[in-house]
Amino acid sequence: MTFRAHTIAGVLAQTIPGGAALHEPEIGGAEKARVDECLRSGWVSTAGPFVERFEDALAQYTGANHAIACVNGTAALHACLLLAGTRPGDEVIIPSLTFVATANAVAYCGATPHFADSDEDTLGLDPAKLANHLEDIGHITKGNCFNRRSGNRIAAVVCMHAFGHAADLDRLAETCRHYKLPLIEDAAESLGSFYKGRHTGLDGVLSALSFNGNKIVTSGGGGAILTGGAELAEKARHLTTTAKKPHPWMFEHDQVGFNYRLPNINAALGLAQMERLEDFLTRKRRLAMRYKDAFAGVEGVRFFEEPEDRRSNYWLNVLLLERECAQHRDAALKAANEQGFMARPAWTPMHMLDMHKDCARMNLDTAEDIFARLINIPSSPALVS
Ligand SMILES: *Cc1c(COP(=O)(O)O)cnc(C)c1O
């Protein structure tokens, strides 16, 4: 079958008849019961037992030593960057191909993003290009890495597990160690995704999860910091709860902190969702395999499968158009959306946004190429039983 604008819409109509949103949350009786329990207790805000139970569930599932619940993933990422030592004037290396929150969190610290390219095999940071780039521009003085060209300190590297596919953590971590750069994982999309048997979010010094309504597990809005270090966890808890010194009645704060703690009512919802995560993962994988089969014989487009050594959550399913068909991307998106199948392109790469056009960067050909060819298709677990 040669590729035409209607090809994708046609395959979708056969695979998931009737149209579909991109990713809808599934809220059922278990969620309602938990939220009701929370409402009846009167503890609806940032104090209450569900927050800690949600944190325990996250730590237990991921294998992280510590999980600190936050109001959203962006706030969690902001806190991760501050805790890793990001200061005004610093640069932070992030993939250009990411959701805007990654770059925003850097800007909230008074730092600027420094854009790195992505790898077509993982859709995440390209470890080889990162190593080459740092060899070119990186300069270590007194235990800090500086950008030789701008003179700015590079505070950290943030990798992101795009659409639930783990980036090449081993090689990224190795490069970061070499250049004395803390690795932070933006694991907002990768709850339930594993890299060589380890849950994503465990290789970074600090990692951020998101429980926004479109993510695999939702708490309405919400996020969490994962970390292995007890001291960092303590600092994270302190920074995200207005930096109040523990005392039964005195209000004393020892730095400018943030009101970033997740409310109990959101944690109640999140806890009920965590109890259904395995079921969501099973059905999302089933849907992904159905897409894989459906697109197998279709010319001009390829279903993106989990890279080797990974187990992906298939948060948002990905199609990649062949290069010769890239010019049909927008027509294919239009046809799918007109038939009721929500499809969308990847995020516009950050370096192509006007506000970031002057930021430091390496060659970003692959990020631009992936952006030109990638299409996300409906991925709700409810699409399969
Ligand atoms: C969703 C998301 C975030 C931020 O999450 P919010 O909870 O919406 O603040 C950050 N990074 C990536 C890559 C995301 O997909």
Side-chain angles (χ1 to χ4, degrees), residues 72-74 98-99 101-102 160 186 188-189 210-212 215 222 315:
N72 57 53
T74 312
T98 184
F99 177 55
T102 321
M160 195 276 285
D186 180 344
E189 305 181 354
S210 167
F211 310 107
N212 186 37
K215 298 282 158 56
W315 171 55

Side-chain angles (χ1 to χ4, degrees), residues 20-95:
L22 196 64
H23 202 287
E24 283 182 318
E26 241 177 84
I27 310 283
E31 285 82 356
K32 285 176 187 150
R34 287 277 193 223
V35 172
D36 210 42
E37 194 184 334
C38 176
L39 290 175
R40 275 184 279 119
S41 77
W43 293 95
V44 293
S45 216
T46 47
F50 283 113
V51 185
E52 274 169 37
R53 287 171 68 185
F54 185 45
E55 290 175 337
D56 288 347
L58 291 170
Q60 188 172 13
Y61 178 78
T62 59
N65 291 344
H66 308 275
I68 298 95
C70 297
V71 282
N72 57 53
T74 312
L77 202 51
H78 180 201
C80 287
L81 285 162
L82 290 172
L83 291 161
T86 310
R87 297 289 170 263
D90 287 343
E91 293 175 13
V92 175
I93 295 179
I94 69 169

